[in-house]
Amino acid sequence: MSVARVAVPIAARQSFDYWVPDGLPVLRGSVVRVGVGARTLVGVVVEMPRESEVDPTRLRPIVELVGDVAPVPEDVLRLATFAADYYGQPLGSILACAAPPVGAASRRSGVRGVTKPARAPAASAGASSAGASAASTGASSTESPAAPHPGWHDPGARVGGALNSEQQRAAHAVTETLGRFETFLLHGVTGSGKTETYLAAAAEAVARGGQVLLLVPEINLTPQLAARVAAAFGGTPVGVLHSRLAAGARRTTWRDAAEGRARIVLGTRLAVFAPLPWLGLIVVDEEHDDSYRQEEGVRYHARDLAIVRARERGVPVVLASATPSLESFHRAEVGAYRLLCLGARAVPGARPPSVRFVTNRGLAAGAVVAAPVLEAIGERLGRAEQSLVFVNRRGFSPSLLCHACGWAACCPHCTARLVLHRESRELRCHHCGFARRVAPACPTCGNQDLTPVGAGTQRLEEQLSERFPQARIARVDRDTTTRRGAFAAVAQRVSSGEIDILVGTQMLAKGHDFPRLTLVAVLGADNALYSADFRATERLFAQLVQVGGRAGRARLAGEVLIQTDFAEHPLFQALCAQDYQSFARTLLAERRAADLPPYSHLALLEAQGRSREDVERFLADAWRLAREAIAALGGRCECFPPSTPSLARRAGLERGHLLVQSASRRDLHALLRAWRPELEAQGARRVRWRVDVDPADLG
DNA sequence: AGCACGCCGACT
DNA sequence: GTCGGCGTGCTC
């Protein structure tokens, strides 16, 4: 009996060995069910060792080979192994994302047998040499391999025909590299036709027999883009993949991708692990978007993994954005990525929206919308055009204050203000979900006149409906869109002209084209300018460009009004001038001066526990261990003293963290590899901790 | 992650 | 005297 090493999705960092029952065709990549403790879990075979180092009597047999899903292909296993190492995660947890979703246990154990390995289609002219070999090592489908879709007819000419010369040059630069690795940064202003451009390159990759992986940040956007992709490719099968898809549908796409039937796989971050035996091109749309960062549970950055995968498979990868991440822009500046710029607006006659600033000064007490903004909305109502008012905060107001004694409504479990939700007459904590009824009077001094301070979407909606009682107003935020399909329903009503004013948070910023929307007003943007988060200004700029892009996409002129007290800030000036690149260079200079990414690499040890003493003791020890490890490795990494994040307590848990940094990613990882076992050996003394590699911010 | 084993407060 | 709180450790 042979032994299989199986990675299972538990916190344990090692894989476990099992007996392979005689005749069960188990190989590296096989998806199996195994007993772990009292439970049966789905795991992935990562190795077929000669023998086990574990006492043979302790080995349990594999319960079942999951036969209705394809084995995880070799390149995906390598990608998962890389991700597990890079992000310091258990391989089994990464593979739980990378493996196809599995249904309930089947009655019969095992499958009929191994089938012949898949072959690349004849037309794969250079597009997938690495893919073909990966497919033949790992794949063993229960059906014979699929030929390229028969009903397909020259999308290359069809998609490419509509491009202007600039777009054609960009698409051509990509198609020229099909068959080898290169990273492109496709930078174009909103409306410059980035989508058409990368779809043209995708069409060519498909024409050469390759598969295309198209990553998008948001589930909300996929139906729209899927329709666009389907239309552009006229009949070429598109597989859609995201976490909210039912397991069955996901399995179907997985199988279609693994067997080569799906020529295009469109999906969110988890799709970076999709099996694509004939992969020819990867596209990461809106590459700057934070949604590519998986924060809960297993941590990884899908954009970065996409680049790793492209390199491994020897295929080009296109990162597309109107506001590239500083990391990507920097890589392009130093020549590591090839920069492709699209300058012109694709729709003839469409102009970039004009940007105007409106001061907050002189606002009446309690008022949140400045008079010029109200006027502009009024004008739109008169012309039967639509307005969008954007504030990045849900609820009525972010604080409830007593002006008599200075008391503020705070969460009992977090170091945070409670947000007033007037519709439900509640004070809610946006960090832990705590909610309680609004107190009628100040608990410390008895003052009955508590003042809501600051503006959220609810307050905005209320004031706009008072000012424009005849207007049809829709509010879009997490409170109004929890129901499945709620977002799409509002989008539909906006498109059909049933809405005059849209009020909402950043979830409105992305992707939607509303032809009659000609005004975008932005409130509360200044908050980001004060933020301690080192990525705040980068994010704000991206967000403003993004919301600005909602205005005047078609022939109607668009206007963006920004309510701010800092109109002269370089960020706003760059926004006016539509000049991403010079602003990016300004920010990069700041990052360089502060020794922040992309000029350094960071990892953040985050700890939380019931008592602050426990957390502080753990971090003090961790700090000492880090300094010892750095010394042992000969320096080249820096380690900062433990500190307390601004949200010092969350959901009743005290938080603390410790930052390590290096100019070299290699050195930083050498440190992490030495440091982590030391931390584990410390034993978690009432403290839960994790290391966040490439953290989004330093909280 | 679960779930089991192991040591200190209120009960049939 | 036990039931059970969760804190710590193991799972092939």
Side-chain angles (χ1 to χ4, degrees):
Chain A
M1 274 207 288
S2 57
V3 175
R5 191 152 296 157
V6 180
V8 282
I10 59 173
R13 329 198 71 84
Q14 351 88 297
S15 300
F16 295 148
D17 291 348
Y18 291 86
W19 292 123
V20 180
D22 281 332
L24 202 62
V26 167
L27 37 87
R28 178 167 146 93
S30 293
V31 180
V32 294
R33 243 179 271 272
V34 290
V36 180
R39 296 171 298 165
T40 299
L41 297 175
V42 174
V44 177
V45 175
V46 291
E47 215 182 312
M48 296 295 290
R50 198 65 41 91
E51 55 188 21
S52 180
E53 283 152 39
V54 178
D55 175 6
T57 58
R58 288 177 63 208
L59 296 190
R60 294 163 70 175
I62 286 172
V63 173
E64 180 192 29
L65 174 63
V66 179
D68 59 347
V69 295
V72 179
E74 187 59 31
D75 72 313
V76 176
L77 284 174
R78 281 201 303 270
L79 183 68
T81 305
F82 170 85
D85 177 59
Y86 186 88
Y87 296 106
Q89 307 270 339
L91 179 57
S93 318
I94 296 272
L95 278 168
C97 317
V102 162
S106 65
R107 297 278 156 262
R108 262 157 286 133
S109 169
V111 286
R112 274 157 285 278
V114 201
T115 52
K116 19 190 191 318
R119 277 186 315 275
S124 71
S128 58
S129 49
S133 62
S136 55
T137 27
S140 75
S141 66
T142 45
E143 292 166 43
S144 48
H149 195 264
W152 174 84
H153 33 198
D154 199 11
R158 187 207 203 118
V159 181
L163 299 183
N164 66 32
S165 62
E166 192 179 45
Q167 295 162 341
Q168 260 169 33
R169 270 200 302 279
H172 189 64
V174 177
T175 54
E176 260 186 351
T177 64
L178 288 173
R180 64 185 161 88
F181 169 65
E182 173 137 21
T183 308
F184 294 92
L185 179 58
L186 179 61
H187 175 223
V189 299
T190 22
S192 63
K194 287 187 296 294
T195 311
E196 289 77 3
T197 304
Y198 68 60
L199 286 180
E204 183 59 28
V206 170
R208 297 199 201 169
Q211 290 174 292
V212 175
L213 173 62
L214 172 50
L215 297 179
V216 294
E218 295 269 325
I219 293 168
N220 274 338
L221 304 178
T222 46
Q224 199 182 26
L225 191 60
R228 205 163 155 191
V229 170
F233 284 84
T236 304
V238 176
V240 175
L241 217 49
H242 57 77
S243 58
R244 289 220 218 141
L245 224 51
R250 235 162 99 189
R251 200 157 49 235
T252 301
T253 303
W254 221 275
R255 199 171 308 162
D256 287 349
E259 290 163 17
R261 270 192 304 279
R263 310 306 291 176
I264 299 161
V265 170
L266 169 63
T268 54
R269 56 187 177 232
L270 67 92
V272 76
F273 296 109
L276 295 157
W278 300 313
L279 182 64
L281 173 69
I282 303 179
V283 178
V284 184
D285 197 16
E286 307 293 356
E287 66 89 21
H288 64 279
D289 200 298
D290 287 329
S291 308
Y292 286 119
R293 200 185 291 274
Q294 166 98 26
E295 296 279 353
E296 267 113 60
V298 196
R299 298 201 150 192
Y300 61 88
H301 198 302
R303 179 244 286 146
D304 297 346
L305 289 183
I307 297 167
V308 172
R309 189 167 188 192
R311 180 186 292 123
E312 279 250 315
R313 292 290 299 265
V315 303
V317 54
V318 177
L319 312 179
S321 177
T323 53
S325 64
L326 287 182
E327 278 83 352
S328 296
F329 184 66
H330 175 67
R331 301 288 290 155
E333 291 263 276
V334 300
Y337 299 170
R338 184 127 61 106
L339 185 63
L340 304 171
C341 283
L342 300 178
R345 290 226 156 195
V347 178
R351 284 156 292 166
S354 66
V355 180
R356 202 147 59 86
F357 301 99
V358 173
T359 180
N360 281 308
R361 282 181 280 268
L363 270 180
V368 294
V369 191
V373 175
L374 293 172
E375 274 164 39
I377 294 171
E379 284 169 26
R380 297 316 186 283
L381 286 170
R383 296 204 296 260
E385 292 172 10
Q386 294 165 319
S387 308
L388 187 163
V389 189
F390 172 86
V391 62
N392 221 347
R393 196 175 265 143
R394 64 198 169 88
F396 186 87
S397 77
S399 332
L400 185 64
L401 303 182
C402 169
H403 282 312
C405 72
W407 172 87
C410 291
C411 177
H413 311 299
C414 308
T415 337
R417 298 274 170 88
L418 290 171
V419 177
L420 177 62
H421 284 247
R422 208 136 92 174
E423 285 179 337
S424 55
R425 293 159 161 260
E426 273 178 341
L427 287 164
R428 281 193 219 157
C429 177
H430 285 183
H431 299 283
C432 73
F434 170 84
R436 68 155 213 252
R437 310 240 82 183
V438 180
C442 174
T444 57
C445 76
N447 173 25
Q448 301 208 325
D449 193 18
L450 297 177
T451 317
V453 172
T457 47
Q458 286 181 12
R459 187 176 218 172
L460 212 52
E461 181 186 26
E462 186 183 286
Q463 289 189 6
L464 290 171
S465 61
E466 278 167 15
R467 177 66 174 70
F468 303 109
Q470 78 288 5
R472 296 159 302 174
I473 303 179
R475 176 160 61 89
V476 176
D477 56 32
R478 221 164 65 209
D479 299 323
T480 62
T481 54
T482 43
R483 241 183 41 253
R484 206 183 162 88
F487 187 92
V490 176
Q492 177 52 40
R493 281 164 64 215
V494 177
S495 295
S496 62
E498 291 167 56
I499 300 294
D500 301 311
I501 306 173
L502 257 178
V503 171
T505 56
Q506 48 121 21
M507 65 165 61
L508 278 177
K510 295 171 188 173
H512 293 268
D513 287 355
F514 301 122
R516 292 207 69 79
L517 181 72
T518 58
L519 174 71
V520 171
V522 181
L523 276 58
D526 290 354
N527 292 318
L529 299 177
Y530 312 127
S531 172
D533 172 6
F534 76 93
R535 289 188 213 268
T537 38
E538 178 187 357
R539 284 208 193 102
L540 176 62
F541 187 81
Q543 226 166 60
L544 291 179
V545 169
Q546 203 72 245
V547 271
R550 300 309 109 215
R553 301 260 312 180
R555 313 267 149 136
L556 294 170
E559 185 177 30
V560 177
L561 286 185
I562 296 174
Q563 223 173 279
T564 174
D565 291 331
F566 303 95
E568 68 294 335
H569 192 285
L571 185 151
F572 294 129
Q573 293 310 308
L575 187 71
C576 268
Q578 296 266 310
D579 190 356
Y580 163 84
Q581 296 203 0
S582 73
F583 185 59
R585 289 191 188 102
T586 305
L587 290 182
L588 282 173
E590 290 174 15
R591 294 278 184 92
R592 185 196 285 278
D595 219 6
L596 285 166
Y599 300 99
S600 71
H601 296 91
L602 307 177
L604 190 69
L605 171 64
E606 303 170 313
Q608 53 175 40
R610 286 285 170 75
S611 92
R612 182 137 292 280
E613 292 70 55
D614 287 339
V615 173
E616 281 170 3
R617 189 157 14 89
F618 172 79
L619 288 174
D621 289 343
W623 189 32
R624 179 178 46 78
L625 291 169
R627 281 174 299 169
E628 286 169 9
I630 291 169
L633 290 164
R636 299 199 303 273
C637 290
E638 233 187 305
C639 163
F640 296 91
S643 60
T644 304
S646 52
L647 190 62
R649 186 172 3 101
R650 188 178 60 196
L653 295 172
E654 302 293 335
R655 306 168 73 225
H657 58 213
L658 194 163
L659 184 68
V660 292
Q661 179 195 56
S662 177
S664 144
R665 192 164 45 193
R666 184 182 296 266
D667 291 337
L668 183 66
H669 274 80
L671 168 62
L672 295 180
R673 267 191 286 274
W675 193 29
R676 180 184 288 282
E678 301 269 4
L679 290 171
E680 277 162 0
Q682 284 284 101
R685 289 159 311 177
R686 285 178 272 179
V687 172
R688 310 199 94 203
W689 59 272
R690 66 176 174 185
V691 178
D692 189 2
V693 179
D694 301 339
D697 58 68
L698 306 177

